[in-house]
Amino acid sequence: MTLRIGEISYTNILPLFYFVDRDKLKEEQFTFIPQVPAQLNAAMSKAEVDVGGISSFAYAKNQHDYTLLPDLSVSSYHAVGSLFLFSKVPIEQLNEKRIALTSSSATTIHLLKVILAHFYQFKVHYEVEEPNYDKMLAQFDACLLIGDDAIKATWCKEPNIYQYDLGELWYQFTGLPMTFAVIAVRNEIVETKVKELELLNRELLFSKEMSIQTQFQPMIRQIMKDHAGDLPFWSNYFNGLTYDFSEAEQKGLLSFYDLCYQLGYLNEPVETLKLWQPVKDKLTK
Ligand SMILES: C=C(O[C@@H]1C=C(C(=O)O)C=C[C@H]1O)C(=O)O
């Protein structure tokens, strides 16, 4: 058995991977490929990765080639805490301004474009840049960062910089949750690696359940060794995210896709989400 698994190298997705039995999966010749979302999106489309966390926007662009694991995502119903627009002026004054977008994102950069074009009716000049808060703000009016880059930037917060959480903005305008990452599988893998996929799906679901059951505590203790931030900060962060992909999250995501299509960010509409159907009787760990 072999399977190449893309693992987003940000803290936000850790609950889906922390309790995975890596030794068992490595014995089965499964490999883990840790990269930022934009790199994983590209690796997946080049068939260098079989299955893994990718930007939800990347699924829309490859909807005919990918299938989604049905109960897993990185979503939020309000503020996320790791997706921020940092701006020198209030958001209401960003019309015709210049914004730097992090090169590691696909979903959130389009979410910002949707919010500013559709809800504010602004025309903005965007450029994609390496995620570097100081460099970006030295050259642009505002910058968008995601993941651990965004978290770190909030820790060195400057008083004169306005800060907007993209999850919160989306919720304010739509009343819907937003899904940032999905777990996608290349369609040929669905056909050819049934057992491998079932094993991985079980492990990811197990990790999600254990993370929730333990209230993220063992995982947070580990994170605190590698990053700054205290227990209340990380508890609040993980409790603000949801790892399900139920009807509500799917509805939010389809609305986002619809706006992306209307605004020309997607060439084709996404009418339905193609969800993988595991073999039910094998779903016990
Ligand atoms: C919640 C987050 O979602 C991430 C945002 C992504 C994107 O913008 O493309 C992709 C994967 C997610 O891990 C985050 O980075 O903070």
Side-chain angles (χ1 to χ4, degrees):
M1 298 221 278
T2 60
L3 201 63
R4 296 165 303 170
I5 305 160
E7 184 178 2
I8 294 175
S9 55
Y10 288 147
T11 313
N12 64 65
I13 204 162
L14 214 51
L16 302 186
F17 285 89
Y18 186 75
F19 288 99
V20 162
D21 187 342
R22 285 174 195 260
D23 292 340
K24 182 169 91 190
L25 296 188
K26 281 179 187 162
E27 269 171 32
E28 301 286 356
Q29 312 300 320
F30 286 22
T31 48
F32 291 87
I33 301 161
Q35 284 179 340
V36 297
Q39 289 171 325
L40 283 182
N41 302 342
M44 186 86 179
S45 72
K46 288 187 268 176
E48 292 165 6
V49 163
D50 300 320
V51 47
I54 57 165
S55 302
S56 55
F57 186 80
Y59 168 75
K61 291 199 82 171
N62 297 276
Q63 56 172 319
H64 304 298
D65 299 326
Y66 300 171
T67 300
L68 297 175
L69 296 192
D71 297 315
L72 301 162
S73 81
V74 178
S75 302
S76 160
Y77 278 73
H78 37 78
V80 175
S82 57
L83 308 155
F84 287 105
L85 174 70
F86 298 97
S87 177
K88 292 175 185 167
V89 296
I91 194 165
E92 293 77 16
Q93 293 172 26
L94 279 174
N95 195 23
E96 300 192 342
K97 293 279 195 292
R98 297 173 68 247
I99 301 184
L101 303 172
T102 172
S103 56
S104 60
S105 159
T107 303
T108 316
I109 60 177
H110 288 99
L111 183 62
L112 177 66
K113 289 181 180 180
V114 163
I115 289 169
L116 293 181
H118 183 76
F119 296 111
Y120 285 92
Q121 309 268 301
F122 285 174
K123 280 208 170 78
V124 173
H125 175 77
Y126 295 105
E127 273 180 51
V128 174
E129 298 284 325
E130 289 290 304
N132 181 319
Y133 175 89
D134 290 326
K135 272 197 189 160
M136 286 164 134
L137 280 190
Q139 295 171 38
F140 292 84
D141 300 299
C143 71
L144 178 76
L145 291 174
I146 70 163
D148 297 347
D149 302 318
I151 294 177
K152 281 177 202 142
T154 62
W155 284 338
C156 348
K157 200 173 161 207
E158 292 172 284
N160 51 339
I161 297 294
Y162 297 84
Q163 196 175 299
Y164 299 93
D165 188 301
L166 272 289
E168 194 167 11
L169 289 174
W170 171 254
Y171 189 75
Q172 276 168 11
F173 283 111
T174 64
L176 292 168
M178 176 63 196
T179 295
F180 297 94
V182 286
I183 308 293
V185 192
R186 298 184 51 78
N187 286 346
E188 66 266 24
I189 300 299
V190 174
E191 313 283 321
T192 54
K193 304 216 168 175
V194 177
K195 280 211 171 72
E196 288 89 333
L197 212 48
E198 283 177 357
L199 175 57
L200 179 69
N201 186 52
R202 270 202 307 273
E203 288 288 332
L204 296 175
L205 286 176
F206 175 75
S207 183
K208 172 176 125 173
E209 289 316 318
M210 283 296 289
S211 296
I212 294 166
Q213 255 180 47
T214 57
Q215 297 179 340
F216 310 105
Q217 300 298 301
M219 187 186 78
I220 290 174
R221 280 196 290 278
Q222 183 59 43
I223 293 170
M224 282 162 53
K225 286 185 194 155
D226 305 332
H227 299 275
D230 55 15
L231 191 65
F233 171 84
W234 289 111
S235 291
N236 187 46
Y237 177 64
F238 288 111
N239 282 303
L241 291 168
T242 167
Y243 294 93
D244 296 333
F245 196 45
S246 61
E247 227 174 280
E249 287 88 19
Q250 292 176 27
K251 187 174 166 216
L253 187 55
L254 286 169
S255 299
F256 168 65
Y257 288 160
D258 188 37
L259 289 168
C260 285
Y261 176 63
Q262 283 179 41
L263 291 162
Y265 308 144
L266 288 172
N267 295 331
E268 256 191 287
V270 182
E271 315 277 2
T272 50
L273 301 166
K274 191 167 171 209
L275 300 178
W276 181 65
Q277 298 202 325
V279 179
K280 291 268 180 333
D281 60 356
K282 290 186 183 160
L283 262 182
T284 41
K285 182 152 171 121

